[in-house]
Amino acid sequence: MHHDLIDGVPVIWTETPGPLEATLMFGCGVQDETFRTLGVTHLVEHLAMSTLPRLHFDHNASVSLSITDFTCTGRPEQVVDFLARVCTALTELPLERIEKEAGVLAAEGSGAADPVTGELLSIRYGTQGLGLASFSGPGADRIPLEAVRETVARHFHAGNAVLALTGPPPQGLRLPLPPGSRTARAPHPAPRHTGPSWHRADVPGPGLLLSCDLNDQAMLLATHVLCQRLTDTVRHEHGLSYDVGGTAVHVGPGRGERSVQLDVREGQEKRVTELLWQEALRLAEEEPTEAELAEEREAAREFLTDPRTLDMELGERAADLLLDETHLDAGTKLAQQAEVTPAQVRAAFAAAMETALLLVPGQVEQLTLGRPDRSALPAADCSERTALPAGPQYRPPLLARARFGAARKVRLVVNADGAWWQDEEGQVHGFPYTEVVGVEVHDGGRVLHGLGNCFVPVTPELFTGLGPALAAIDAAVPEPLRYPLSALRATG
C-alpha cells in the first residue's frame, strides 16, 4: 500500500488489475445523526450527486452507519473530473433542490443496514447512534435546513476524508475541500440491552447479535462456524431457509457487533428461531472440531489471497483510518487464524453469548428458550413498567370499546413526567419527557418517539378527550423536537 497527501486529504493506493477505481470516504454516517435529523447525511449525498452532469462511466455514492462514500471507475481523466466535481458540490450544495431530493430519498427507501441487523442494533442501543439503523425518522422533507448546513460544515471537509485508489494518483488530481480537523465522534451511548434476552419484531427472519472485538480472529471463526452449521441444519437438512448471513458493525476502537440472520420459509419462523438458538448454545458449550476450523481457514485463505479482493482490502484500510481502528491486513488475519485453537473459538463465542440479543419474527407468539446456564432466556420489551403510572387516564372511543373487547384494556396516561400507554395485550409502553427524541404532530394528536426504541400514540383515533394531554406534551417537549407529519408518507 502507498500513501500520499493531496490538498490535505490522505490518499491510500495500490495497483490492481482493471480500470482505475476511486472511493472518496468521509467519516460520517447514520450513527452521527439524531432521530430528529435522521436522513440528513443521505440528503447531503443526494444534493451533491444531483449537480453532476450525465456521466458515461460507473459512479455512485452511499451512506452507511459510519461512512459516506463517493465512488467511480473509469479512465484517469474521468476519475479526476468526478472527484473535483464532488468536492466542489459539497462546498456549494444546491440547497434549492432539497424538496426534490427529499422526494427522491422517499422513493429510494434504502436503509443503512439489513432489516434484522438494524432492528437488533435499535434494541441494543435505543433510538440513537447505531440504534437509528431501523428507523425512517420524521421524513426527508422534515429535515431542518440548519441540520443540512451543520452536517456539511462538521463532516465534509479535508480533515475528515480519505481517498482510496486502485492505482497511482492520476496527473492533475485535486480535492478542493475546505480544510478542517478530524471530526471527534462522541463516545457511543451505553447499550440499553446488554443481553442475554429475546425480542419480538416485524422482521423477515430471526437474528442474533453479539458484542465483541471485530479484530478477534477466534470470534470471526466462531461466527463462520455457526453460519455453516446453520446452513447445514436449517437449509440442507430441514429445508426451512435459503440464506444464512452475517454482518459486522463497528462500534468504536476495539468494539463491535456481529450479527447472524436467516430468512425463513413461511410458517416456520418459530422452528428456525429455535434452531438458531440451539446451534448458538452448542457452540458456546462445545469446541468446534479441527476439521471445521480447517475448512473455515481454507475459505478465508481462498478469499483473502484472491487478487480481486485487493480493492476490498484497500477500502477496509481507508475506513479503519477514518474510524481510528487497528487495521489487520490479509496476511496478519491468516497468520492469526492459523494460531487459533478450538478451545479459543469456544471461549470467545461463550463470552459473546453473555451479550446475546435474539430477534424473533412477530408471528412467533410464544417461545421458551434457555440461557447457557440453563436459566430461562427472558423476553424483553421497550419498557420495564408492568403497570401504568398515576395520572390522568384516556380511553378509546366508546364505540370501539363496545365493539372490540381488546379495546377495553387500552389506556393512556399523560402526566407531568411523561406519557405511557397500555396496549390490547396489557403491555405498558412509554417514557419520561427527558427521553423524547421526536414528536410527530397530527391534526388533534401527537405521536411521541422515545430513546428506548418505543413510541406512544396520543391520537384521537385511539383516545378521546386529548386536549389536556396535548397541552402537557407541547409544554414539556422542546419545539425543535416537534415536526408535522411528512408530506411524503404514503396514505390510504
Side-chain angles (χ1 to χ4, degrees):
M1 295 285 175
H2 304 271
H3 297 262
D4 282 305
L5 190 69
I6 296 177
D7 294 331
V9 177
V11 178
I12 302 175
W13 63 274
T14 189
E15 299 241 30
T16 67
L20 182 63
E21 296 182 21
T23 303
L24 180 61
M25 296 184 180
F26 294 89
C28 60
V30 171
Q31 73 172 67
D32 301 293
E33 302 171 356
T34 67
F35 181 84
R36 183 63 187 87
T37 65
L38 191 53
V40 64
T41 312
H42 202 177
L43 180 57
V44 168
E45 175 255 293
H46 267 243
L47 288 170
M49 293 295 281
S50 74
T51 67
L52 302 182
R54 183 179 179 183
L55 301 175
H56 303 284
F57 55 91
D58 288 342
H59 63 283
N60 204 352
S62 66
V63 178
S64 69
L65 288 168
S66 55
I67 297 288
T68 298
D69 62 45
F70 298 85
T71 63
C72 73
T73 303
R75 299 190 305 274
E77 65 272 18
Q78 292 174 322
V79 170
V80 167
D81 181 64
F82 174 82
L83 292 173
R85 287 180 181 274
V86 167
C87 292
T88 300
L90 288 170
T91 61
E92 303 172 4
L93 282 181
L95 299 179
E96 71 280 0
R97 285 196 55 82
I98 283 182
E99 182 178 351
K100 292 183 175 62
E101 293 305 323
V104 175
L105 287 176
E108 183 179 356
S110 59
D114 67 86
V116 173
T117 300
E119 191 69 37
L120 283 164
L121 290 170
S122 297
I123 293 167
R124 176 82 83 199
Y125 296 102
T127 318
Q128 58 187 339
L130 293 172
L132 293 170
S134 72
F135 292 93
S136 57
D141 59 334
R142 297 297 178 247
I143 297 172
L145 176 60
E146 187 54 38
V148 177
R149 292 186 171 127
E150 193 277 335
T151 297
V152 173
R154 184 177 180 212
H155 297 293
F156 290 91
H157 53 74
N160 200 42
V162 172
L163 176 63
L165 292 169
T166 61
Q171 184 176 4
L173 177 60
R174 299 260 64 90
L175 301 171
L177 291 166
S181 301
R182 175 69 59 84
T183 302
R185 278 179 162 152
H188 203 278
R192 297 180 68 89
H193 287 283
T194 56
S197 55
W198 68 273
H199 307 253
R200 186 183 292 113
D202 183 17
V203 289
L208 182 69
L209 189 70
L210 304 167
S211 297
C212 61
D213 179 352
L214 296 183
N215 277 337
D216 181 358
Q217 298 303 298
M219 184 58 192
L220 175 63
L221 288 170
T223 308
H224 288 174
V225 168
L226 176 61
C227 287
Q228 187 56 50
R229 287 180 175 180
L230 288 167
T231 300
D232 293 340
T233 302
V234 180
R235 176 175 174 168
H236 297 310
E237 182 178 344
H238 297 289
L240 303 178
S241 177
Y242 171 74
D243 185 50
V244 179
T247 303
V249 177
H250 172 87
V251 176
R255 299 170 55 216
E257 302 277 356
R258 289 197 180 277
S259 69
V260 174
Q261 59 274 349
L262 303 88
D263 57 12
V264 181
R265 199 175 81 204
E266 187 175 355
Q268 298 297 319
E269 292 84 4
K270 181 178 181 180
R271 179 60 176 147
V272 173
T273 301
E274 291 171 337
L275 288 169
L276 167 59
W277 188 248
Q278 172 185 304
E279 290 296 341
L281 284 179
R282 182 161 74 97
L283 187 55
E285 295 171 353
E286 303 173 9
E287 297 176 8
T289 66
E290 286 284 3
E292 285 180 303
L293 287 192
E295 187 73 28
E296 297 308 330
R297 292 191 191 101
E298 178 61 18
R301 190 192 69 77
E302 286 290 338
F303 179 75
L304 293 174
T305 59
D306 188 327
R308 291 171 295 181
T309 65
L310 279 173
D311 56 344
M312 181 200 73
E313 161 79 13
L314 187 66
E316 286 185 354
R317 188 181 290 265
D320 285 341
L321 178 61
L322 280 175
L323 299 174
D324 295 320
E325 186 61 79
T326 300
H327 179 74
L328 301 183
D329 59 27
T332 301
K333 290 177 183 177
L334 293 176
Q336 290 185 2
Q337 289 182 21
E339 300 297 321
V340 172
T341 66
Q344 289 172 328
V345 170
R346 187 211 66 79
F349 195 78
M353 280 289 283
E354 291 300 314
T355 70
L357 299 182
L358 179 67
L359 189 60
V360 180
Q363 301 94 321
V364 181
E365 296 183 358
Q366 296 295 329
L367 197 63
T368 302
L369 299 171
R371 296 174 59 173
D373 63 4
R374 296 298 185 267
S375 62
L377 183 70
D381 201 358
C382 66
S383 172
E384 296 181 355
R385 283 187 174 270
T386 57
L388 288 169
Q393 287 201 2
Y394 303 86
R395 302 185 67 187
L398 182 60
L399 181 59
R401 284 181 276 150
R403 295 181 61 187
F404 307 106
R408 298 168 198 160
K409 298 181 181 179
V410 178
R411 299 283 192 282
L412 169 71
V413 169
V414 178
N415 60 26
D417 299 319
W420 292 264
W421 71 298
Q422 178 176 289
D423 65 20
E424 296 91 338
E425 298 178 352
Q427 293 182 319
V428 176
H429 314 270
F431 37 84
Y433 294 126
T434 54
E435 291 198 357
V436 171
V437 296
V439 176
E440 188 173 81
V441 178
H442 293 233
D443 184 17
R446 308 285 186 270
V447 177
L448 285 72
H449 295 270
L451 194 59
N453 196 18
C454 197
F455 74 97
V456 178
V458 186
T459 59
E461 294 82 11
L462 294 177
F463 303 102
T464 60
L466 290 176
L470 301 181
I473 291 168
D474 289 347
V477 178
E479 190 277 333
L481 292 180
R482 302 196 297 269
Y483 54 91
L485 181 68
S486 172
L488 301 174
R489 181 169 296 178
T491 59

